[in-house]
Amino acid sequence: MTVAGEGVMADPQSDAIWILSSTFIVFTMQSGFGLLESGTVSVKNELNIMVKNAVDVVFGGLTYWIFGYGLSFGNASFSNAFIGWGDFFVTAEDEKLGIVYSKFFFQASFATTATTIVSGAMAERTKLVSYIVFSMINTVLFSIPAHWVWSSKGWLYMLGVVDIAGAGPVHIVGGVTGLVATLMLKPRHRRYDGERHKAPTMSSPTNAVLGMFMLWWGWHGFNCGSTFGISGLKWKLAARSAATTLCSSVAGGVGGFFLSYIMKDRKFDVKYMINGLLGSLVSVTAVCAVVQPWEGLIIGFVGSLVSNAGVALLDKLKIDDPVGCVVTHAVSGVWGMLVAGLFLRKDKLLNALYLHKASTGLFYGGGLYQLGIQSFAVVAIIIWTVVVSFICLKLIDVTLGLRVSLEEEIIGADIIEHGILEEEIIGADIIEHGIESIRNGHVRGETQDAIEQNTADNNHIEVNPAALVMGDDLFQGVIIHADLYNVIY
Amino acid sequence: MTVAGEGVMADPQSDAIWILSSTFIVFTMQSGFGLLESGTVSVKNELNIMVKNAVDVVFGGLTYWIFGYGLSFGNASFSNAFIGWGDFFVTAEDEKLGIVYSKFFFQASFATTATTIVSGAMAERTKLVSYIVFSMINTVLFSIPAHWVWSSKGWLYMLGVVDIAGAGPVHIVGGVTGLVATLMLKPRHRRYDGERHKAPTMSSPTNAVLGMFMLWWGWHGFNCGSTFGISGLKWKLAARSAATTLCSSVAGGVGGFFLSYIMKDRKFDVKYMINGLLGSLVSVTAVCAVVQPWEGLIIGFVGSLVSNAGVALLDKLKIDDPVGCVVTHAVSGVWGMLVAGLFLRKDKLLNALYLHKASTGLFYGGGLYQLGIQSFAVVAIIIWTVVVSFICLKLIDVTLGLRVSLEEEIIGADIIEHGILEEEIIGADIIEHGIESIRNGHVRGETQDAIEQNTADNNHIEVNPAALVMGDDLFQGVIIHADLYNVIY
Amino acid sequence: MTVAGEGVMADPQSDAIWILSSTFIVFTMQSGFGLLESGTVSVKNELNIMVKNAVDVVFGGLTYWIFGYGLSFGNASFSNAFIGWGDFFVTAEDEKLGIVYSKFFFQASFATTATTIVSGAMAERTKLVSYIVFSMINTVLFSIPAHWVWSSKGWLYMLGVVDIAGAGPVHIVGGVTGLVATLMLKPRHRRYDGERHKAPTMSSPTNAVLGMFMLWWGWHGFNCGSTFGISGLKWKLAARSAATTLCSSVAGGVGGFFLSYIMKDRKFDVKYMINGLLGSLVSVTAVCAVVQPWEGLIIGFVGSLVSNAGVALLDKLKIDDPVGCVVTHAVSGVWGMLVAGLFLRKDKLLNALYLHKASTGLFYGGGLYQLGIQSFAVVAIIIWTVVVSFICLKLIDVTLGLRVSLEEEIIGADIIEHGILEEEIIGADIIEHGIESIRNGHVRGETQDAIEQNTADNNHIEVNPAALVMGDDLFQGVIIHADLYNVIY
């Protein structure tokens, strides 16, 4: 997005249609995040994290309509360099109808993406009710920096900051909020106990890679649509955005494969590929339309290394980020913002995006000015995000509570929050008994006994009666937790 | 769709491209329905329902090309207020080439959607051959009401009915046909026996939610594309359609979460979310482009409650609707049609969609006239659908038979219709023997014995040899059915 | 694609945007191929084949940017009828910015598709490192014939060949390369041993059908986008392309269902449906925009039969093509090329695609000239592909080695290449022991003993401890392989 949307568009019909078409693509990213997260967490929370991705659009979309859009792009007299005001409960008539609604639709897809990033960092241990409240509040976190960067009144815009598709308001905000959330939530149960430094088994690596694919294609809509139109020279920038984004992701993928090959003894760990590819896509968002493909390659390759290094560092620090979103978005987002201070060239194409306040970057002889502006923006956005997200999450924590109980975490959200078991036809009581055992702090033997007793009554089908009831995945979940529980108590 | 497509388009190039782009998005809904249904039914029919969704496009697409398009939009001398005539075996030359083909492509995506809705209601017990014949005939069911509403000669259009994206011809027709079909088919085996009022376990709630996501995004293409162009004022209406559809779905999601929280003791049942969200999307289809987002919120919230209440009612009435499509589409579709009688405002934007025959709705001081027209349309479409779908389905029932045999239902369509087993390398004979036992009405013990015997011969791997052959899901399916069978006989 | 992109576009803004929008859709085909292949191979290679589809874009995209685009469309003085030269490391400024980048983006999606076709033929037995190298080199295989057909200097173009969306450079090249690769790799272990003529169980038929759906929708973007613009008469051709492609796929689906019903004793084998549908889509690519829907139906129906017959023939010849891609793409691709010699009509619409050098086809009284040209193109492309792909693959084979070791193949690439096991928390040692047994050529009893011993130590949960560690699918994989191994040694 650029401030282009604020003024009168040169060819509003073509521009609006481009924005709508791009947004159709951008919204598929929500399903991409959902699948990536669902495939990466343990089986017992596979459904829950999909639901949380729907929550982001449902509840985040609601507050974005109520106040988010207004805080970013409101033009009422109270609006100033720091905050937009007006256009709450988005409604438009006559002249503004097409522009406001297409812009709202597009921006809503950005706002809900910023929230969805956080869902990964909070995975496997956050109460759904608390997450719903969080997703509503989180809209503020995105909307204010969006005003700074993308409103013609915004103070960062006036300083000349360049962030075409949201490295700051979307990715740094999302990633940093994720960091605050995971620090507050603390690691998942037994994630960093003793010398066991292992994450739980991915529920479905295949789904995780499918999610990565969906994000990959969606990102092209995200970056290309951010020219916010095709009139004038903007269609050329949209085309360059496509080529540069593709090249950046290519380099990111190469980086991920390369790193995994070296670090994991010639094995290709899909997490390296996913983190590398997504890290590179984040890295290029700020400048996608205004740099050349070969620059995209460099930017993406560095972004991929930075992203994978960050994941390793976070793990060393025993900060539990189940889906790797904190680093992929925050660290690569910072790199993405700085990139504009290095690679920017001041030409008529920059002006076509209303970025005439920006300066030439360091690598093209413009000195440190633009890099300074970009760094300043990074710092400002991080400070904003840390402070406000801490306050919001703390408020939720002391009122509703953020984290589920230990018993609930061990059993998993798919059973606890979504009541998968209740629908079953046979044997539910046996499982309920087993879960009760766990709830009551009894050791695994209890669950075992119940299952074995039932087993004996059923012609020795072992394993089956309970597994039948719950679906195999859930059954495995319960047993795993029973086992873990047993180890602890 | 509106009658816009009938006349000469103001800017045919831009309009046609908009229609094509939207249709690319609309067709993804077919996969969305497929996944939603596949994830909701029991494992033994997971593949079969995906195939039925392909059948809808393959065979429904064929008859839509042969006669469906002509019955809706044919302009030959025989065509009248009730039925279109001409343009069979769709072919166009010269001037009409672009308009006819883009319109055919778009309308074909609507026609196949109408059929696919029915597949959910008929799930888990309908013969595939009969379903193929049904999907071919069902084109008529859609095409005639489509003519009434969307042709400039159609009698409902001439009365001033408003149904922009097909609440009537797509959703009411689909949902009501589903109701007729499920009443004729009767509930699934043991679905409402005794006090067991439980549906079978969903094969994959994760896939069901992914399907919901795909439908959600596809619906935006569906509603936005239904302005049938972007020239003149239509691009503004497409933009409003996007914002209003998003807001409506947001309210629908909120409604679903809210209801589940209350009704299911603070649990978030995904079925409530899915039915609520889809119900809200259906509700807003008729007026998506001509109401404001805040009206969309109200419409969607009510649609969500109506949809979920309907599902509960149907279950009380022991009408078995495996995927909840009857209510989501028919009841929310009725609400969607009535909405136009309440929220319509007569302005130049309405005229831009050639809806100048419509009147102001009740809430804006227009009295009951438009509400009457909309209700009349609802009644007419329901009567048409009930009568014709009953005749069609009955004809299929007495010739080919609609419902599979009890044995086949118990074993499941993935084995019976798609011969999954035949491909296997080891142990197929054992399973075949087990299935034979079931077919022959022997009790579970037989299956058990066969499996246990084999187990003994295989170094005591219990469970495994058979499970290996069939894949775990199918194996579970057979055992479940064996168990159920045992209980009955 | 047509040579249209070479000259000045009539309305470059609209044309470029159409190309970008189509490419967003085309890229989803990569995920479609991924899912189709992943659902079709055995569980032990499910993830690996998804990764290989990402490799195609990452590494294939890199070399396409470096030299592929230049070899196809470079215009430097060295470029001639056989090869393009120039525009390496694609970069564009000023006037050419929009056209070059949108064309590069579009063509890159074609180039990576051509490679991805091959991944299916090489599935389940190719080293990932070797595949990475192959995907980089394969770019050459696509880019040279693409120059012949789609460059205004290309010798086939100058002879008047018609291949709008790549039946030759994409599908024949992909399918024939797949054939060379599978012949060189030889069949999968025990695939054609003794009388066991059975393919391994599909890991997920549901995912395979979902993949088919994604390819189906993506193909519409592929064919419609290949008008390479919408200005002038091209929007009409894009619309016809949509209608014709849909009709062709409909006939392909009908053919697949029909064949399966006859050949498989009234069962509907999804492989027939998938091969039929994809075969029909391949068949219509060369002429999608210039023939009528009813011609599309004939072309697609024949394509479907040809495709399914080819799969059966290949199986008879004991040529192992795990996903059926060789026939679907090569044989239907040949039929697709010949089709232009039969159905072509010389009119102004053909000229709008710069195909004025083409002649009327046989069925419209043009005699054998165009059929001769098309046949000549087929032969030339096949010879090119066989020779160059053989050299490339042989080079990789003698340096890196193409095929994994027997032990690695039995265990599966998901464990061997992606180290799924390493992440596990409990019991990994047991499995490692089991795998060691297999590696060391011990009989299954060893694995069994290890598992049973562990089982005994764990309160008799049988089966579970190991299954817990690996996820059920992988566990099954190991056991299956253990069994197979046992049978052999």
Side-chain angles (χ1 to χ4, degrees), chain A residues 118-135:
Chain A
V118 191
S119 66
M122 299 173 82
E124 307 214 61
R125 58 207 195 285
T126 307
K127 284 182 187 172
L128 185 50
V129 169
S130 306
Y131 187 80
I132 288 175
V133 173
F134 163 75
S135 77

mmCIF file of all heavy atoms in Angstrom, chain A residues 118-135:
data_model
loop_
_atom_site.group_PDB
_atom_site.id
_atom_site.type_symbol
_atom_site.label_atom_id
_atom_site.label_comp_id
_atom_site.label_asym_id
_atom_site.label_seq_id
_atom_site.Cartn_x
_atom_site.Cartn_y
_atom_site.Cartn_z
ATOM 1 N N VAL A 118 0.698 -13.858 14.726
ATOM 2 C CA VAL A 118 0.836 -14.079 16.169
ATOM 3 C C VAL A 118 0.296 -15.437 16.594
ATOM 4 O O VAL A 118 0.801 -16.053 17.533
ATOM 5 C CB VAL A 118 0.122 -12.959 16.946
ATOM 6 C CG1 VAL A 118 0.480 -13.020 18.417
ATOM 7 C CG2 VAL A 118 0.471 -11.598 16.367
ATOM 8 N N SER A 119 -0.739 -15.925 15.894
ATOM 9 C CA SER A 119 -1.352 -17.189 16.308
ATOM 10 C C SER A 119 -0.323 -18.312 16.346
ATOM 11 O O SER A 119 -0.416 -19.219 17.174
ATOM 12 C CB SER A 119 -2.505 -17.557 15.365
ATOM 13 O OG SER A 119 -2.022 -17.835 14.063
ATOM 14 N N GLY A 120 0.666 -18.261 15.456
ATOM 15 C CA GLY A 120 1.705 -19.283 15.453
ATOM 16 C C GLY A 120 2.528 -19.271 16.729
ATOM 17 O O GLY A 120 2.817 -20.324 17.304
ATOM 18 N N ALA A 121 2.883 -18.065 17.187
ATOM 19 C CA ALA A 121 3.717 -17.960 18.385
ATOM 20 C C ALA A 121 2.971 -18.387 19.640
ATOM 21 O O ALA A 121 3.567 -18.819 20.629
ATOM 22 C CB ALA A 121 4.223 -16.524 18.539
ATOM 23 N N MET A 122 1.648 -18.271 19.610
ATOM 24 C CA MET A 122 0.839 -18.586 20.790
ATOM 25 C C MET A 122 0.281 -20.008 20.733
ATOM 26 O O MET A 122 -0.486 -20.417 21.620
ATOM 27 C CB MET A 122 -0.308 -17.577 20.896
ATOM 28 C CG MET A 122 0.147 -16.131 21.056
ATOM 29 S SD MET A 122 -1.240 -14.949 20.979
ATOM 30 C CE MET A 122 -1.861 -15.060 22.670
ATOM 31 N N ALA A 123 0.686 -20.759 19.712
ATOM 32 C CA ALA A 123 0.069 -22.068 19.465
ATOM 33 C C ALA A 123 0.254 -23.045 20.621
ATOM 34 O O ALA A 123 1.218 -22.984 21.365
ATOM 35 C CB ALA A 123 0.659 -22.676 18.186
ATOM 36 N N GLU A 124 -0.708 -23.919 20.786
ATOM 37 C CA GLU A 124 -0.649 -25.114 21.640
ATOM 38 C C GLU A 124 -0.802 -24.843 23.137
ATOM 39 O O GLU A 124 -0.667 -25.766 23.941
ATOM 40 C CB GLU A 124 0.657 -25.917 21.395
ATOM 41 C CG GLU A 124 0.895 -26.255 19.920
ATOM 42 C CD GLU A 124 1.565 -27.601 19.721
ATOM 43 O OE1 GLU A 124 0.984 -28.602 20.130
ATOM 44 O OE2 GLU A 124 2.673 -27.629 19.156
ATOM 45 N N ARG A 125 -1.016 -23.566 23.530
ATOM 46 C CA ARG A 125 -1.147 -23.334 24.971
ATOM 47 C C ARG A 125 -1.979 -22.120 25.321
ATOM 48 O O ARG A 125 -2.050 -21.713 26.480
ATOM 49 C CB ARG A 125 0.239 -23.217 25.601
ATOM 50 C CG ARG A 125 1.101 -22.094 25.010
ATOM 51 C CD ARG A 125 2.560 -22.474 25.169
ATOM 52 N NE ARG A 125 3.479 -21.366 24.967
ATOM 53 C CZ ARG A 125 3.797 -20.852 23.767
ATOM 54 N NH1 ARG A 125 3.227 -21.299 22.672
ATOM 55 N NH2 ARG A 125 4.667 -19.868 23.702
ATOM 56 N N THR A 126 -2.654 -21.503 24.333
ATOM 57 C CA THR A 126 -3.443 -20.305 24.605
ATOM 58 C C THR A 126 -4.943 -20.617 24.583
ATOM 59 O O THR A 126 -5.417 -21.301 23.680
ATOM 60 C CB THR A 126 -3.150 -19.224 23.544
ATOM 61 O OG1 THR A 126 -1.743 -19.023 23.480
ATOM 62 C CG2 THR A 126 -3.852 -17.923 23.867
ATOM 63 N N LYS A 127 -5.654 -20.109 25.570
ATOM 64 C CA LYS A 127 -7.108 -20.292 25.608
ATOM 65 C C LYS A 127 -7.767 -19.673 24.390
ATOM 66 O O LYS A 127 -7.435 -18.545 24.011
ATOM 67 C CB LYS A 127 -7.693 -19.593 26.840
ATOM 68 C CG LYS A 127 -7.480 -20.287 28.137
ATOM 69 C CD LYS A 127 -8.177 -19.483 29.242
ATOM 70 C CE LYS A 127 -7.839 -20.047 30.600
ATOM 71 N NZ LYS A 127 -8.341 -19.196 31.688
ATOM 72 N N LEU A 128 -8.730 -20.338 23.849
ATOM 73 C CA LEU A 128 -9.379 -19.812 22.648
ATOM 74 C C LEU A 128 -10.143 -18.520 22.940
ATOM 75 O O LEU A 128 -10.086 -17.560 22.154
ATOM 76 C CB LEU A 128 -10.302 -20.881 22.041
ATOM 77 C CG LEU A 128 -10.975 -20.540 20.705
ATOM 78 C CD1 LEU A 128 -9.975 -20.027 19.679
ATOM 79 C CD2 LEU A 128 -11.701 -21.751 20.148
ATOM 80 N N VAL A 129 -10.834 -18.459 24.056
ATOM 81 C CA VAL A 129 -11.575 -17.235 24.398
ATOM 82 C C VAL A 129 -10.616 -16.053 24.499
ATOM 83 O O VAL A 129 -10.884 -14.962 23.969
ATOM 84 C CB VAL A 129 -12.351 -17.400 25.721
ATOM 85 C CG1 VAL A 129 -12.876 -16.061 26.198
ATOM 86 C CG2 VAL A 129 -13.484 -18.391 25.546
ATOM 87 N N SER A 130 -9.499 -16.265 25.163
ATOM 88 C CA SER A 130 -8.524 -15.183 25.304
ATOM 89 C C SER A 130 -7.958 -14.800 23.944
ATOM 90 O O SER A 130 -7.709 -13.619 23.675
ATOM 91 C CB SER A 130 -7.380 -15.625 26.220
ATOM 92 O OG SER A 130 -7.915 -16.091 27.434
ATOM 93 N N TYR A 131 -7.780 -15.792 23.093
ATOM 94 C CA TYR A 131 -7.251 -15.501 21.767
ATOM 95 C C TYR A 131 -8.241 -14.670 20.952
ATOM 96 O O TYR A 131 -7.843 -13.782 20.199
ATOM 97 C CB TYR A 131 -6.900 -16.788 21.007
ATOM 98 C CG TYR A 131 -6.210 -16.479 19.711
ATOM 99 C CD1 TYR A 131 -4.855 -16.167 19.693
ATOM 100 C CD2 TYR A 131 -6.919 -16.409 18.525
ATOM 101 C CE1 TYR A 131 -4.222 -15.815 18.514
ATOM 102 C CE2 TYR A 131 -6.298 -16.055 17.345
ATOM 103 C CZ TYR A 131 -4.948 -15.762 17.345
ATOM 104 O OH TYR A 131 -4.328 -15.397 16.176
ATOM 105 N N ILE A 132 -9.518 -14.969 21.140
ATOM 106 C CA ILE A 132 -10.552 -14.188 20.434
ATOM 107 C C ILE A 132 -10.467 -12.724 20.846
ATOM 108 O O ILE A 132 -10.452 -11.816 20.006
ATOM 109 C CB ILE A 132 -11.955 -14.770 20.710
ATOM 110 C CG1 ILE A 132 -12.124 -16.107 19.982
ATOM 111 C CG2 ILE A 132 -13.043 -13.789 20.305
ATOM 112 C CD1 ILE A 132 -13.421 -16.840 20.278
ATOM 113 N N VAL A 133 -10.382 -12.493 22.160
ATOM 114 C CA VAL A 133 -10.276 -11.109 22.653
ATOM 115 C C VAL A 133 -9.003 -10.473 22.100
ATOM 116 O O VAL A 133 -9.009 -9.327 21.623
ATOM 117 C CB VAL A 133 -10.285 -11.077 24.198
ATOM 118 C CG1 VAL A 133 -10.014 -9.664 24.709
ATOM 119 C CG2 VAL A 133 -11.607 -11.615 24.714
ATOM 120 N N PHE A 134 -7.916 -11.226 22.145
ATOM 121 C CA PHE A 134 -6.657 -10.703 21.623
ATOM 122 C C PHE A 134 -6.772 -10.304 20.152
ATOM 123 O O PHE A 134 -6.307 -9.239 19.742
ATOM 124 C CB PHE A 134 -5.536 -11.734 21.799
ATOM 125 C CG PHE A 134 -4.345 -11.441 20.945
ATOM 126 C CD1 PHE A 134 -3.477 -10.412 21.288
ATOM 127 C CD2 PHE A 134 -4.124 -12.138 19.763
ATOM 128 C CE1 PHE A 134 -2.387 -10.110 20.473
ATOM 129 C CE2 PHE A 134 -3.054 -11.838 18.951
ATOM 130 C CZ PHE A 134 -2.182 -10.823 19.307
ATOM 131 N N SER A 135 -7.408 -11.168 19.355
ATOM 132 C CA SER A 135 -7.471 -10.882 17.914
ATOM 133 C C SER A 135 -8.267 -9.614 17.636
ATOM 134 O O SER A 135 -8.051 -8.938 16.634
ATOM 135 C CB SER A 135 -8.057 -12.077 17.153
ATOM 136 O OG SER A 135 -9.453 -12.125 17.314
#
